[in-house]
Amino acid sequence: MNLSKTERAKRIPWGSIRAILLDWAGTTIDYGSLAPVEVVRAVFKHYGIAVTESEAREPMGQAKIDHIKAVLAMPRIASQWRSQTSAEPTDQDVQKIYKDFLLLQKEVLARYSDPIPGVPEAIAFFRSMNCKIGSTTGYTRELMEVVIPIAARGGYQPDVTICSDEVASGRPAPWSNFHAAEKLGVYPMSQIVIVDDSIAGIQAGKNAGCFSVAVSKTGNALGLPLEEVNRLEVDQLADRLLQIDRVFYESGADLVVESVEELAKLWVVS
């Protein structure tokens, strides 16, 4: 059964929702989720391996060490690694690449930590509806120490932030969502909405027993900065977003929105 976006939104019991847990890159900051892709490609290039943008984006949403491990395990990338090193990639190689990734990511993050347009206003609306605001991320606490102050200066400051190195395992495991709910003091999990721009994040929300809302236009799935999105033909953009919606719904999303700003508008009409 094909439901409209408004019809899907009405299936979420907004009156009983007490908290919203939002992802960071591509959802609330960093339009297009550009920073992780730039750094993943750069760190592998340092080792003589060319990673495409689509390869770098495929594991998005996972903890960054798992993201790097997933990229290194891709057959084409693993083949390049063997050509460069004459050996199979190991866990020690993953740790070495990850260490380099963290150093480079800290340098890049400052350029990509401003809130996505409309996010501060949407957060203010959610708060007006008596919702607590939490967040989860694939970034470590060390990386988020760069991000959080910049986002706050731009008008976005959640009540709680749970980082990938503060839970037993990252998305699609539900632990970061459970930890955020604990910190916010909100339960049951059915009174929480997860908002994320990655399949792993949507699955983590469902695994936690929450309503999961996917973000299509501002995030990793479309993967374009705002200025490039604005240059797309209307029909071309609509077709791409339709394809993204289909993938997210097949992955278990309860609702797909273009942005956090649109989610606030749908809440109003629901």
Side-chain angles (χ1 to χ4, degrees):
M1 179 172 57
N2 293 322
L3 299 175
S4 70
K5 191 174 294 188
T6 300
E7 288 170 329
R8 289 182 182 275
K10 288 181 177 179
R11 289 189 161 194
I12 298 175
W14 297 109
S16 65
I17 297 302
R18 298 173 54 218
I20 297 182
L21 306 182
L22 303 108
D23 175 51
W24 284 80
T27 300
T28 53
I29 64 165
D30 187 7
Y31 198 114
S33 194
L34 305 177
V37 175
E38 178 178 322
V39 178
V40 166
R41 298 185 72 188
V43 75
F44 274 94
K45 185 177 180 181
H46 174 74
Y47 289 91
I49 296 175
V51 175
T52 67
E53 181 173 341
S54 61
E55 288 169 335
R57 288 189 179 279
E58 187 175 319
M60 198 68 77
Q62 299 180 30
K64 296 312 169 195
I65 191 167
D66 295 330
H67 188 147
I68 289 167
K69 187 174 184 178
V71 171
L72 190 57
M74 293 176 181
R76 195 185 71 81
I77 306 302
S79 176
Q80 286 192 59
W81 183 270
R82 288 191 295 269
S83 296
Q84 292 287 337
T85 66
S86 300
E88 295 290 333
T90 66
D91 288 341
Q92 288 76 18
D93 294 324
V94 172
Q95 292 290 340
K96 184 178 180 181
I97 297 170
Y98 179 59
K99 183 178 179 180
D100 292 340
F101 170 90
L102 291 177
L103 291 173
L104 183 57
Q105 184 78 81
K106 287 188 73 172
E107 297 176 10
V108 170
L109 274 176
R111 304 201 309 270
Y112 294 100
S113 294
D114 292 322
I116 291 169
V119 164
E121 294 80 5
I123 297 302
F125 168 76
F126 297 146
R127 292 192 192 280
S128 76
M129 302 303 290
N130 297 316
C131 269
K132 295 182 178 181
I133 307 299
S135 67
T136 64
T137 180
Y139 289 148
T140 63
R141 177 59 61 178
E142 182 180 8
L143 294 176
M144 288 305 295
E145 287 176 356
V146 176
V147 174
I148 289 173
I150 298 173
R153 289 195 294 271
Y156 174 56
Q157 190 169 18
D159 304 319
V160 164
T161 297
I162 304 301
C163 302
S164 62
D165 56 343
E166 296 171 339
V167 291
S169 57
R171 305 161 180 152
W175 313 128
S176 59
N177 296 321
F178 289 152
H179 195 17
E182 178 188 19
K183 291 288 186 181
L184 290 172
V186 175
Y187 69 91
M189 299 303 286
S190 59
Q191 294 182 348
I192 297 175
V193 168
I194 304 298
V195 188
D196 204 292
D197 67 313
S198 71
I199 290 173
I202 295 304
Q203 292 173 337
K206 300 306 292 183
N207 289 337
C210 303
F211 291 97
S212 288
V213 176
V215 175
S216 61
K217 188 176 178 182
T218 69
N220 179 66
L222 186 60
L224 297 174
L226 178 58
E227 57 270 22
E228 289 189 30
V229 173
N230 289 338
R231 288 198 294 267
L232 291 175
E233 296 291 335
V234 173
D235 289 345
Q236 182 184 12
L237 176 59
D239 286 344
R240 292 182 67 172
L241 291 177
L242 185 62
Q243 294 173 17
I244 292 168
D245 288 2
R246 186 177 301 113
V247 172
F248 273 130
Y249 283 128
E250 289 173 353
S251 301
D254 296 291
L255 175 67
V256 182
V257 296
E258 294 184 3
S259 63
V260 173
E261 180 180 31
E262 186 185 25
L263 178 58
K265 294 176 179 177
L266 280 170
W267 189 330
V268 171
V269 301
S270 298

